[in-house]
Amino acid sequence: MIHFFWLRDDEAATSRYSGDFDAAHRWGLPGLKDCPGCGLTWSGSGRQYPAVDLSLIPEHREFEEPRPEPFHELVRLQELVRPLMPPNASLPPGTSFGPLTGTASGQFGPFTWQGTSLMLIRRDALDGLQAAGIRGLLGCKTELRFRQKTAPDILELQIEPRGLLHRDCLPPDLEPPCPTCGRQGFRRPDDPILDGASLPSDRDLFRLDNFSTMIIGTDRFKDAVEQGGWTGISFRELPVRS
């Protein structure tokens, strides 16, 4: 039986390192302005595709400036990106693409976080996890400009949405997703439960599709991190319900 863990920053461990960065992805979908279905203006977070290179399309400059756009314009931009995306990937407002670009300094630990949903990994840690047979790891080159002359080799993991939170841990009066934009607004539950039928069997690291700022790893991933002695992640086991 596979066990699943919610991954977050282990602040006690990461505080031992001086590594810090101020960066954003090169491109992104705009937010949605006044959805014709639910009336909301919104933009999501946690959908990051650093391996998707929008320079391959002539319209890539249209993805450089964060802004809200009406629904028809959002749909046009989604369709421009879709051929470059992994199969069946959803493209909500605020989805970001391309390398993480910005400034960085200091000594980076094996894992360094920005908030709860963006995780950087040192090259030696990625190589070790892949050598241990951890599945579904895609390390993407960053474009961080370091102040020091000898810059560390820091990558971003492209962690794709695959599983779901179980309905039992969501509000009983939760409205269905907006049929137009797909938004379903709810707070992260204090005691998350995973929907067993939705969990992937081909990877050891993924996001939740209905709460994409939550990153989930299998016990295989947890064991490999701990056996490698790599710090920077705290693990909380989550129950699974069918």
Side-chain angles (χ1 to χ4, degrees):
M1 179 179 176
I2 301 174
H3 296 263
F4 294 89
F5 297 83
W6 177 14
L7 278 52
R8 287 179 288 180
D9 184 4
D10 181 356
E11 296 180 2
T14 53
S15 65
R16 298 202 298 267
Y17 293 91
S18 60
D20 189 28
F21 64 100
D22 181 12
H25 295 96
R26 178 171 292 174
W27 302 289
L29 282 175
L32 174 59
K33 181 179 181 180
D34 301 327
C35 172
C38 62
L40 294 177
T41 294
W42 68 281
S43 179
S45 59
R47 305 271 180 160
Q48 298 143 358
Y49 293 91
V52 174
D53 181 4
L54 296 199
S55 68
L56 299 174
I57 60 175
E59 303 89 348
H60 61 88
R61 294 192 182 278
E62 297 184 48
F63 298 86
E64 292 179 354
E65 182 181 351
R67 65 200 184 277
E69 291 283 6
F71 182 69
H72 65 86
E73 176 65 4
L74 174 66
V75 170
R76 182 183 74 85
L77 295 171
Q78 287 172 327
E79 294 312 306
L80 290 173
V81 173
R82 201 173 300 281
L84 304 177
M85 296 294 291
N88 304 314
S90 60
L91 286 164
T95 300
S96 57
F97 317 96
L100 196 65
T101 303
T103 58
S105 63
Q107 181 186 8
F108 277 64
F111 297 95
T112 304
W113 294 74
Q114 184 182 71
T116 61
S117 62
L118 193 157
M119 186 168 67
L120 301 186
I121 186 170
R122 224 169 46 198
R123 169 71 70 177
D124 60 307
L126 176 61
D127 290 346
L129 290 173
Q130 290 176 327
I134 300 305
R135 303 164 302 166
L137 297 182
L138 178 57
C140 303
K141 185 177 177 61
T142 61
E143 294 187 357
L144 297 174
R145 300 184 304 277
F146 281 84
R147 295 173 187 168
Q148 59 261 43
K149 290 183 179 179
T150 304
D153 194 359
I154 303 297
L155 303 104
E156 180 185 357
L157 291 173
Q158 178 165 298
I159 307 172
E160 298 173 17
R162 286 293 188 273
L164 298 170
L165 286 171
H166 196 280
R167 187 68 180 82
D168 288 354
C169 70
L170 303 181
D173 57 349
L174 181 64
E175 295 287 333
C178 170
T180 302
C181 70
R183 183 183 185 276
Q184 187 178 38
F186 58 88
R187 293 172 60 90
R188 186 183 66 216
D190 292 334
D191 297 304
I193 302 169
L194 300 179
D195 182 342
S198 72
L199 300 176
S201 58
D202 63 342
R203 61 189 56 219
D204 293 304
L205 190 67
F206 55 94
R207 299 180 183 276
L208 294 180
D209 204 21
N210 59 351
F211 213 99
S212 55
T213 57
M214 291 184 67
I215 298 175
I216 307 298
T218 64
D219 45 10
R220 284 167 48 90
F221 179 85
K222 178 177 182 289
D223 291 346
V225 167
E226 292 175 345
Q227 289 167 14
W230 297 302
T231 59
I233 300 177
S234 69
F235 294 91
R236 173 182 168 184
E237 185 170 1
L238 296 181
V240 177
R241 191 168 298 171
S242 59

